[in-house]
Amino acid sequence: MADVFQAGVLTLTGGAARPACSAVEDEVVALFDEYREPLLRYLTTFGVCAADAEELLQDVFLALFLHLRGGKSRANLRGWLFRVAHNLALKRRQRDRGGAVAGLPAPAQTPDPAPNPEDQLLHGQLQKRLAAAYRALPERDRRCLWLRAEGLNYREIAAVLEISLGAVALSLARSLARLERCAER
Amino acid sequence: MARDPHLSDPQLLMELEGELSRRAATKIGRHLAACGKCRARRRALEAMIADWTRLQRTAVALPSGDGPRALLRARIGRLGPPPAGPARGALAHGKLTLAACALIVLAAAMVKHSSPRPVWAAAVPDARLTPGATLRATRESVCAQPNTKNRAVPVALRRKVFESYGLRDASPRDFEVDYLITPALGGADDIHNLWPQPYRSTVWNAEVKDALEDRLRDLVCGGALDLSEAQREIAADWIAAYKKYFHTDRPLEPR
């Protein structure tokens, strides 16, 4: 009996395409584990709630699966992920026009937060001032700063936002100067 | 107007990033070596980026990724195999992408229509609420544990499951909160892995699912089936998995 089922399973997993697919799936899931949190944080800056951000993220990684399974470029997948997430979030926002203004997301948007969410967010005067300065930045500057803080390099940021390398440096310089002024107040 | 003899912030940032041309890097490097004010400014920029990064990382509390990871695996599984044979050109891939997009849009539309609560409990859970969630378990660790059945779900968690399915007013005696991916296959004690299964359920009831779980566990521990594949199949559609592994369209009589 066991042999019969063993054989059935072997035909399922032993075909030519399956191992490759399974390897791609494992690679996608590993990338999901690595980048889920930074991508979720980035998506919430578009004013989408945490549940919608999770949903968008599923679409991002399904697209990644198709991208990799189609044998397309593996160069700079981190930049690729942020770019796709960015574009999907923009589309979502266009669809739900009138959504919340992007900013530092409020803890209430997270359905199942860790204990003491209030403690996690903006405790202390300095953090409050920085957050206020951040919210007052133009949208592109906010995105540049956010992506930089998530560890993207300037080239990756330039590709996500479709701006030049010089524009990234100018934007960050503006934002950092604003944050600095507010921190000193 | 006299030109500022010091480096601008964008220049310092490009220098920090290593994105200056060789000529500019030499020139700016020379200036930095000689100018304490510009070195201090560079340090201040670095410190500001670090401060902001710390703030940003703690600004959003994120729930566990176990459920979303299992959902992703299930959705990848539902995409089906890639187009076979020579039809692997750009057109074929485009069609596949289109099909996948259509699937995503369809799924999104279904989710949109199905989201008003209550979501009624059934033999198969709502994939959005209960996609399945697993621990980071290996085959060895799963098979080393005894195959325990009917592990009790903590009361608070059970209540949350009822609430998520809009069953606040229903009698808990009518439903059993069941694991989608059984702990005996690495399933997690997580709300994404639990759903209210009606006691009076249909032919596809908890007993039938138990038989499937035993079968899958035997296959996994016998080395005939990947643990992740078993988890994915049971999470994607346990009834389909039963039909597949028992070669039947109806539940077999219990022995």
Side-chain angles (χ1 to χ4, degrees):
Chain A
M1 190 69 163
D3 287 342
V4 173
F5 286 103
Q6 211 160 0
V9 171
L10 284 174
T11 54
L12 178 77
T13 57
R18 286 298 288 197
C21 246
S22 164
V24 172
E25 180 183 328
D26 288 345
E27 186 181 358
V28 168
V29 170
L31 288 164
F32 181 82
D33 286 341
E34 188 172 356
Y35 292 115
R36 172 178 169 267
E37 292 196 357
L39 284 166
L40 271 184
R41 279 195 293 265
Y42 185 55
L43 285 170
T44 52
T45 67
F46 288 82
V48 293
C49 69
D52 284 351
E54 289 275 15
E55 197 60 35
L56 281 176
L57 209 59
Q58 294 281 322
D59 294 349
V60 171
F61 280 91
L62 282 176
L64 176 68
F65 177 79
L66 293 173
H67 177 86
L68 293 179
R69 194 173 71 174
K72 295 200 176 169
S73 168
R74 286 164 186 275
N76 194 3
L77 288 177
R78 177 173 65 174
W80 188 95
L81 284 168
F82 273 91
R83 194 163 65 247
V84 172
H86 176 94
N87 291 335
L88 285 177
L90 282 183
K91 271 187 204 154
R92 167 67 63 102
R93 199 168 59 178
Q94 276 165 9
R95 209 190 66 194
D96 313 333
R97 265 177 306 165
V101 175
L104 266 183
Q109 289 176 320
T110 308
D112 194 10
N116 300 322
E118 289 83 5
D119 290 348
Q120 291 188 340
L121 186 77
L122 311 182
H123 55 89
Q125 286 302 310
L126 174 66
Q127 283 89 338
K128 279 184 186 158
R129 285 204 298 269
L130 287 179
Y134 169 83
R135 285 193 202 98
L137 294 173
E139 178 162 353
R140 195 170 80 180
D141 290 350
R142 280 202 307 265
R143 301 223 170 285
C144 261
L145 180 62
W146 193 279
L147 291 170
R148 177 66 189 80
E150 289 298 354
L152 271 70
N153 63 40
Y154 288 14
R155 284 182 187 273
E156 289 169 326
I157 297 171
V160 172
L161 301 179
E162 297 180 320
I163 57 178
S164 70
L165 211 54
V168 173
L170 277 171
S171 165
L172 283 173
R174 263 196 311 270
S175 303
L176 293 171
R178 288 273 282 278
L179 292 182
E180 230 174 6
R181 275 201 300 278
C182 291
E184 282 161 7
R185 247 176 240 160
Chain B
M1 205 165 106
R3 221 172 128 226
D4 186 349
H6 294 293
L7 299 171
S8 69
D9 284 357
Q11 281 177 313
L12 288 168
L13 288 171
M14 290 289 264
E15 194 272 335
L16 279 169
E17 181 76 3
E19 283 289 1
L20 292 168
S21 68
R22 194 184 294 174
R23 193 158 155 251
T26 310
K27 197 174 151 205
I28 283 175
R30 212 175 289 144
H31 180 99
L32 277 169
C35 178
K37 194 177 168 193
C38 283
R39 287 199 302 276
R41 181 68 196 142
R42 187 175 61 171
R43 278 196 299 277
L45 287 171
E46 280 182 298
M48 193 70 248
I49 292 174
D51 281 351
W52 176 257
T53 301
R54 267 195 301 278
L55 173 62
Q56 181 173 310
R57 295 276 164 94
T58 53
V60 188
L62 297 169
S64 150
D66 290 345
R69 185 191 309 109
L71 180 60
L72 178 65
R73 278 201 187 271
R75 285 186 173 170
I76 287 174
R78 275 178 229 151
L79 284 177
R88 287 209 175 213
L91 183 64
H93 181 70
K95 276 183 185 164
L96 181 72
T97 311
L98 266 179
C101 287
L103 198 72
I104 289 165
V105 169
L106 191 68
M110 283 165 67
V111 162
K112 203 160 181 184
H113 284 293
S114 68
S115 52
R117 311 287 167 76
V119 181
W120 297 107
V124 179
D126 183 315
R128 186 176 157 88
L129 297 170
T130 314
T134 56
L135 303 169
R136 285 177 196 274
T138 61
R139 184 176 77 91
E140 288 71 26
S141 66
V142 160
C143 299
Q145 287 173 11
N147 183 11
T148 45
K149 289 261 163 243
N150 304 324
R151 202 161 92 186
V153 178
V155 175
L157 191 53
R158 209 161 57 206
R159 196 175 307 127
K160 277 173 84 176
V161 173
F162 279 123
E163 281 178 12
S164 71
Y165 273 78
L167 292 171
R168 273 191 201 86
D169 302 326
S171 165
R173 279 172 304 188
D174 291 339
F175 300 93
E176 176 195 2
V177 171
D178 199 9
Y179 291 92
L180 177 57
I181 302 171
T182 172
L185 282 168
D189 273 323
D190 183 294
I191 191 164
H192 296 99
N193 192 37
L194 293 161
W195 97 99
Q197 202 175 13
Y199 277 125
R200 60 175 186 281
S201 184
T202 74
V203 275
W204 296 103
N205 55 35
E207 203 178 13
V208 178
K209 187 163 173 290
D210 282 350
L212 170 69
E213 288 163 358
D214 289 343
R215 169 62 48 85
L216 290 181
R217 194 181 144 93
D218 287 348
L219 290 170
V220 168
C221 296
L225 179 62
D226 282 346
L227 177 62
S228 61
E229 183 78 11
Q231 291 170 339
R232 193 179 65 198
E233 291 201 66
I234 204 165
D237 185 346
W238 74 265
I239 294 176
Y242 183 97
K243 289 175 180 173
K244 179 171 140 191
Y245 287 104
F246 284 90
H247 298 308
T248 174
D249 275 336
R250 299 190 59 75
L252 303 174
E253 288 294 318
R255 286 181 187 170

